[in-house]
Amino acid sequence: RGTEIILHISDDSKEFLEMPLLSQTLEKYCGFFPIEIFLFESGKEADKCINDTQPLWLKKPSECTDEDYKAFYKKVFMDFNDPLFYIHLNVEYPFNLKGILYFPKLSHELQANEGQIKLFNNQVFVADNVKEIIPEFLLLLKGVVDCPDMPLNVSRSFLQNDGYAAKVSAHITKKVADKLCELFKKEREKFNTYWDDINMFIKYGCIRDEKFYEKVKDIMIYKDINSEYITLSDYIGDKDDKTVYYVSDENQQAQYIKMFKEQDKNAVILPAMIDNHFISFVESKEQDIKFMRIDAAVSEELTESVDMTEDDTAKLCEAVKESLSQPDLKIEVKALKDKNIPAIVILNEQSRRMQEIYKSYGQQFAGMSNMFKDEYTFVLNSNNELVNKLNTTDAETKKLLCEHIYDLAMLCNKPLGAEAMTRFVERSNILMSKLV
C-alpha cells in the first residue's frame, strides 16, 4: 500500500494515454478485477471505482434473482433484449470453474456473432471464445467463464496443452445438456416456446459433438404442420414405417400441407439451412429413420389405383413430353386423392439435399452443381379432369395446358426463373382470353 508504479510509453504510442482509450482498455481487461481500481486524470480526482469486484458469476445461484441475471447480461453484452434463459456454472471440484451462459433470442438464423463468450482468469479478462475451453457449438451463445486454475502460457491468451481445457470443455457441454433436459422435463411449455430460437444451437451441437447428441437426442422436438411440438418418438409411435415427412418451405409447399391435413397425416417443419445437414446426421445415427420431403410423400402415400390402361398411360406421357418439348423428362401417372391438383413435380431426395448443400456454401461450390443432374419426376394426376382431357384438345391448346400444368407443379417445388415466369404470365393471359 502506497507503492507507486510509473510506466513510460514511447512517443509513437501516446494515443494509449488518452483518457477515453485508457478507460476503455481498463474496463475491458479489468472490469471485474478483484481489487478496486480508480482512474485519475492529472489535476483531477477519480469520482468512482471503474470495476465491479464482486461480479454475478462469483455468487451462488441461490443468491441471484432473475432480474440480476438479466441486468448483468444487458450490461456486459450491450443487448437490450432479454435472454431466453441462462445456465449458472458453479463448480469447485474436480476443478474451479464459475460462469454464466446465456441463450440469446435470435431474429434470424445467421445473426449469431463470434466473440460473445468471454474467458476470465481470476476475474481478469483473457480472450473471447477460446476454443480449447468453450465447446465450438456454444461459441454461438453469450456468456462469461472464469477458470482461476487455467494454465496459461507467457502470452496469456493461449492455453497450455495439459488436458485441463478438455475437461472444462466437456463439463460445460454436460451442464448445458443437463439444463436442456431439465427444462424439457419440468417446464415443457417454456421449452417449446424457446425451441424456435435455440434449435440451431442444439442441432449444431449434435452434429459437432456425438456425446452431446446422446444426452439430448430424446428431448429433440420438431414443430409439425399443426403447430404442435413433438419428438420423433411421438411422430413415429408404434408404426413399422419410420419415415419422417418434412416441410422445408411452408408457403411454397402449402398445397401439399393442405393435402396432408385432409388425409389426417402429419409432417414436421424443417426450414433452416442447418436442417439439411441435421437430418442426414440423424439418419446416420438412427438407421431405421428416414426423412422425406412432403411432396415425395404425396405421390407415395396419398394415391389410389390408376383407372387407366397401360396403353393410355403411355400415350398420355408421350403427348405431354411432345407438348413440353422435353423428350427425356421422366413422367409418371398416378391417381392422387386430391382431384383438384393436375400434377406435381418430385425431386429425388438425395438430389434435393445436394442442392441445399451447394446453396449453404454459396459461390464456393456454385460451379459443382452442374456436375449433378437433378432427378425430377413429373407426376400427372389421372383423377384430375383437366389431365384426362389433354388428349381430346387441339394441339395448340394441349401445348398451352401442358406447359401451364408443368409450371404450376414446378412452382410448388421452387420459384420459376425470370424467363420461365415471363412465359408463365404471358400464357396465363392467353388461357384467360380463351375462357371469355
Side-chain angles (χ1 to χ4, degrees):
R1 186 179 296 270
T3 300
E4 290 186 357
I5 300 173
I6 300 174
L7 306 178
H8 297 272
I9 196 163
S10 60
D11 290 338
D12 62 352
S13 300
K14 283 188 175 180
E15 70 270 15
F16 291 103
L17 295 180
E18 295 175 1
M19 207 57 165
L21 182 55
L22 191 57
S23 176
Q24 181 183 353
T25 304
L26 280 172
E27 287 178 4
K28 177 178 180 179
Y29 289 95
C30 302
F32 299 102
F33 198 68
I35 301 171
E36 290 185 342
I37 299 175
F38 294 86
L39 179 61
F40 291 85
E41 189 172 1
S42 180
K44 298 180 182 180
E45 290 187 4
D47 56 350
K48 63 179 181 178
C49 176
I50 67 169
N51 60 311
D52 178 3
T53 60
Q54 289 295 318
L56 194 65
W57 71 76
L58 293 183
K59 299 179 181 180
K60 296 179 180 178
S62 59
E63 299 173 351
C64 308
T65 66
D66 193 50
E67 291 306 314
D68 290 335
Y69 286 113
K70 291 178 181 178
F72 182 80
Y73 173 78
K74 292 177 180 179
K75 174 187 174 183
V76 175
F77 300 104
M78 303 299 292
D79 190 340
F80 297 105
N81 298 311
D82 288 337
L84 293 172
F85 61 95
Y86 42 82
I87 300 171
H88 196 138
L89 305 170
N90 191 356
V91 183
E92 295 182 355
Y93 181 83
F95 43 76
N96 196 346
L97 170 68
K98 298 184 186 299
I100 306 171
L101 296 179
Y102 291 93
F103 280 72
K105 181 176 178 60
L106 302 181
S107 58
H108 57 81
E109 186 180 357
L110 299 178
Q111 182 185 345
N113 297 316
E114 285 284 328
Q116 293 301 304
I117 293 189
K118 301 178 181 297
L119 181 63
F120 289 78
N121 188 334
N122 279 315
Q123 297 174 240
V124 179
F125 175 73
V126 176
D128 287 317
N129 285 1
V130 178
K131 292 180 171 59
E132 291 87 352
I133 287 284
I134 311 299
E136 184 180 8
F137 70 96
L138 293 180
L139 297 180
L140 300 171
L141 304 184
K142 296 182 180 181
V144 293
V145 175
D146 194 339
C147 303
D149 303 329
M150 179 172 53
L152 296 172
N153 65 9
V154 177
S155 71
R156 293 179 58 95
S157 61
F158 295 95
L159 290 167
Q160 294 176 357
N161 185 18
D162 68 346
Y164 175 87
K167 293 177 182 178
V168 173
S169 178
H171 182 80
I172 292 175
T173 300
K174 179 181 181 300
K175 292 293 289 185
V176 171
D178 290 345
K179 177 67 174 181
L180 293 170
C181 292
E182 180 186 354
L183 277 172
F184 177 84
K185 293 172 183 176
K186 296 182 179 180
E187 300 180 77
R188 178 63 187 274
E189 289 189 10
K190 273 190 179 180
F191 187 79
N192 290 351
T193 61
Y194 296 154
W195 185 252
D196 289 344
D197 290 287
I198 69 174
N199 75 86
M200 181 177 70
F201 300 124
I202 301 175
K203 290 171 182 174
Y204 185 55
C206 290
I207 295 171
R208 298 299 300 177
D209 189 330
E210 291 189 19
K211 290 183 179 178
F212 179 74
Y213 171 71
E214 291 300 323
K215 289 179 181 293
V216 303
K217 65 179 182 179
D218 293 331
I219 67 161
M220 297 293 298
I221 59 175
Y222 301 77
K223 186 178 181 181
D224 67 12
I225 57 177
N226 301 307
S227 297
E228 300 288 337
Y229 290 89
I230 59 175
T231 63
L232 283 183
S233 297
D234 296 331
Y235 182 93
I236 295 170
D238 55 1
K239 295 183 294 185
D240 293 332
D241 181 12
K242 298 189 183 301
T243 301
V244 179
Y245 296 113
Y246 70 94
V247 175
S248 58
D249 188 320
E250 290 182 79
N251 294 325
Q252 204 165 58
Q253 293 148 28
Q255 187 179 48
Y256 304 130
I257 294 174
K258 176 176 174 290
M259 294 172 66
F260 253 51
K261 287 182 176 180
E262 288 174 349
Q263 298 298 322
D264 198 26
K265 288 187 172 292
N266 202 2
V268 297
I269 313 294
L270 296 173
M273 193 180 298
I274 195 172
D275 288 325
N276 189 58
H277 302 277
F278 180 69
I279 60 178
S280 296
F281 172 80
V282 173
E283 287 174 340
S284 70
K285 294 298 177 185
E286 314 294 334
Q287 296 184 359
D288 293 337
I289 294 177
K290 297 296 178 187
F291 286 84
M292 185 178 293
R293 206 169 79 168
I294 193 171
D295 49 347
V298 168
S299 70
E300 296 294 331
E301 297 288 325
L302 307 184
T303 59
E304 303 169 335
S305 58
V306 178
D307 190 20
M308 292 177 66
T309 64
E310 288 187 12
D311 188 49
D312 289 339
T313 299
K315 287 181 180 178
L316 176 61
C317 292
E318 287 303 316
V320 171
K321 286 181 182 180
E322 184 179 348
S323 297
L324 294 175
S325 301
Q326 295 190 48
D328 297 327
L329 179 64
K330 185 179 179 181
I331 299 180
E332 293 181 0
V333 177
K334 294 189 176 182
L336 303 182
K337 291 182 179 180
D338 191 333
K339 298 180 180 181
N340 296 316
I341 299 176
I344 60 174
V345 167
I346 299 170
L347 177 61
N348 174 273
E349 183 69 21
Q350 295 306 314
S351 295
R352 176 184 296 114
R353 294 191 194 182
M354 289 300 293
Q355 278 189 357
E356 294 299 324
I357 289 174
Y358 295 137
K359 191 185 299 182
S360 67
Y361 283 109
Q363 292 298 319
Q364 184 179 359
F365 292 100
M368 291 183 64
S369 59
N370 297 325
M371 295 172 59
F372 300 91
K373 188 176 181 181
D374 294 335
E375 298 179 20
Y376 283 109
T377 301
F378 187 39
V379 180
L380 295 168
N381 183 9
S382 63
N383 280 339
N384 181 262
E385 185 178 354
L386 187 60
V387 171
N388 286 321
K389 290 182 177 180
L390 284 178
N391 278 333
T392 62
T393 59
D394 60 87
E396 181 184 356
T397 303
K398 182 192 297 182
K399 181 175 176 60
L400 285 171
L401 289 175
C402 286
E403 289 175 345
H404 214 61
I405 290 171
Y406 182 77
D407 282 351
L408 286 171
M410 286 298 294
L411 276 170
C412 292
N413 186 278
K414 64 178 182 178
L416 295 178
E419 291 185 11
M421 180 56 74
T422 300
R423 292 195 300 270
F424 178 79
V425 173
E426 291 174 349
R427 196 185 315 112
S428 298
N429 292 328
I430 294 171
L431 289 171
M432 285 191 292
S433 66
K434 287 180 173 290
L435 294 173
V436 178

